[in-house]
Amino acid sequence: MSEILTPEPASASEMLHDDEQVLDPLADVEEGAAKNRAKVGTARPSSLLYTYGPGAIMDLPGFSVMPAGLDDWEPIWKRREHIPTILEPRLLNVVRLHLGPQVDTLRRYPWQPKKGAMSKEGSDLGVPARVFPQWLRCTGCDFLGPLPRFSYTNTHPFRPDLAQFSHKSCPGRGGQKTGSTSRKRESPAVPAQHLLTCTNGHLDEFPYKLWVHRGGTCPKAENPDLKMRDANVGKSVGSTITCASCGAARGMAEAQGAIGREKIPQKCRGRHPHLNAFDAACDAQPALIMMGASNLWFSSTQRIIVMPRTDAEEKEALADKLRAELGVDQVQKFGEQIPVIRALATARDIDLTGVTDDDIAEAVADVLAPADSEEVRHEKLAKWDPVELLVPEWRYLQKPSLFPQQQNSSGLMVTEMQRGTRLHPRISRVVAVNQMKRVNAVLGFTRLDEMDRVNDLVSRLVKLTRNGKPAWVPATEDRGEGIFLQLDLDAVQAWEQEIRDSPLWEAHTLAHHNNFERRFSETAKVVDPGTRLPSPRYWLLHTFAHILIREMAMSCGYGAASLTERIYGWTETPEREGAAGLLICTAASDSEGTLGGLVALSEPTRLQGLVVSALRRAARCSSDPVCAMRTPRDPEDFLHGAACHCCTFASETSCEKANRFLDRRFVLNLPTAAGDTVPGFFGSVDAL
């Protein structure tokens, strides 16, 4: 677990309005005041990677926080002489391609295990965060105001969940009676959930004062108090903002929808709360968004399975070690003195066993080699395809002769399994992944619209640092196990050609085109939607993977949300051979991902029964015939066919495409809306 650290409330409000302030989440409060603890919560690394990373809003029991940008992580890591990193050149090169050559390391989240329950190791480490939104609403009197108008309490050393903001002078909704001497109570405050965002990834507080006064100021007070009252059932939708001084009132329902967008500010201020900064200019029109909206934050990540390295990759890894541990300046200073470089590397715990002086000299030359120009980098990025990360994994799995020579340092152990005699003949190979290691890295994030593919437009990624050029990015390392199934490539190719000529594929193609052009981002204006539509074999593999995940979860000991897919499905090109395989795996940052229950299902007798059971279960859905015949018709733009939550959909943690590109008719022979039958790859369920 990584701790979430937040600064004292007074400092927090200053930091959100003063670029000169430096985030110090562990600073003591003023002398004589009760000490408020820095820790406000904990989160798993996977959660910080995909759900609550920098720029996202994490809803805590008493308030909400936003993990800060990477600039503010530096003071946290400087509390340690050694910063733990993850060395994986293949993934680091992809990060550099997208964010620039200045990225030199993949860093773990600031965390240190404790030796005992009451020990304090790592208590000064954690992910820095800012309180956001900074407009709160009193639950006792509906007072709506900025953070400094509320009091903060977080004094219990072992109960960060008790941290909260409160309104000390709360009179209650009935107010104080004339002549009453009763004490005003202290009521907890909750975040005001209305925010403004834009397609460029900016996020700002909603201007409640301007809203209730319709763009003007209060005629009776320079800084009036506001109230936020929930609407009574049957009257209107949303809350109502009221000015306590002049009595002006306005419902938040007016700000919703296309008409409401014309009533809110038409110019974005370019605010990045996670960076405590504003961009110089933003030409996008803001839109109203709620704090808990699912499209408020989309992480952009890349992941690889660590493979045994070639000699060239080992040399590249040594160069990355020198760059990360010694720094370019020190390597340049002593680059011609190999013994000095060796001594410095040894002092930094870099293992140089078996490394010759020539190897070190090559690594030094690699570190000092000039980086590609921005023009060249962008040209390479435009040609880059995320499939390139999967190709080395696919090629390794095609060479069983390499399996006995596995390098334990890579964390990968795979075993070629015997095919069961009753396993469907179109499943050509089964490989048990006894152990695996997966590395995940953060590239950035987007708002309103998810990246269709990581190299759509780099400008769409919201920057992680104030200058937009991070020297490192957060990464996690997971361990797990899995099962790899490979389909008959010739059969897949023949089936795919038949599917491409079907009316069903034409309907999916049109729906994808409509969906692409209706997105919030500007991507559709410069990208051909056809280049973003996965091939029919991907739909087949993706659907089959979901069917297997649902079936495996009932017998492997892992929950369905713990199982994930990795699809190797692309057609042949001059640069690479075609692929048709899938990996069902589980991975966790600890030993929970290697309990053995999943890989045990690769045994011939168990697997062949599991596949038959999964296919038979997929042939029927409680929503049939509606589900089985679902086909998008213009102007519909949903990206799935015969698939729904009852039969095929998986949890967000399991699916790499957010339950898009699924259709059971590509797996089995099922009737379509027109009454005909699309040739399913595995044929009729009656023949299983």
Side-chain angles (χ1 to χ4, degrees), residues 290-308:
M290 303 301 288
M291 189 182 78
S294 60
N295 60 342
L296 179 65
W297 187 86
F298 295 103
S299 65
S300 178
T301 62
Q302 284 295 291
R303 66 176 68 173
I304 65 164
I305 294 176
V306 179
M307 311 296 294

Side-chain angles (χ1 to χ4, degrees), residues 311 314-316 318-319 322 335-339 341-342 352 354-367:
D311 292 340
E314 285 290 353
K315 293 178 180 179
E316 190 176 4
L318 178 58
L322 297 179
E336 297 180 357
Q337 305 176 44
I338 300 302
I341 294 293
R342 185 183 289 274
L352 297 180
V355 179
T356 66
D357 288 351
D358 291 340
D359 293 335
I360 295 178
E362 288 184 24
V364 169
D366 190 1
V367 172

Side-chain angles (χ1 to χ4, degrees), residues 548-611:
L548 290 176
I549 286 175
R550 296 169 71 98
E551 189 69 25
M552 288 177 175
M554 292 188 285
S555 55
C556 70
Y558 296 105
S562 299
L563 302 180
T564 60
E565 63 188 5
R566 194 162 179 84
I567 308 298
Y568 304 89
W570 56 83
T571 55
E572 183 178 357
T573 66
E575 295 79 20
R576 56 178 176 263
E577 67 278 12
L582 58 94
L583 172 65
I584 306 298
C585 61
T586 180
S589 55
D590 50 28
S591 60
E592 291 182 2
T594 56
L595 299 178
L598 181 59
V599 73
L601 298 181
S602 63
E603 297 176 2
T605 54
R606 298 190 66 180
L607 182 62
Q608 58 193 14
L610 184 145
V611 170

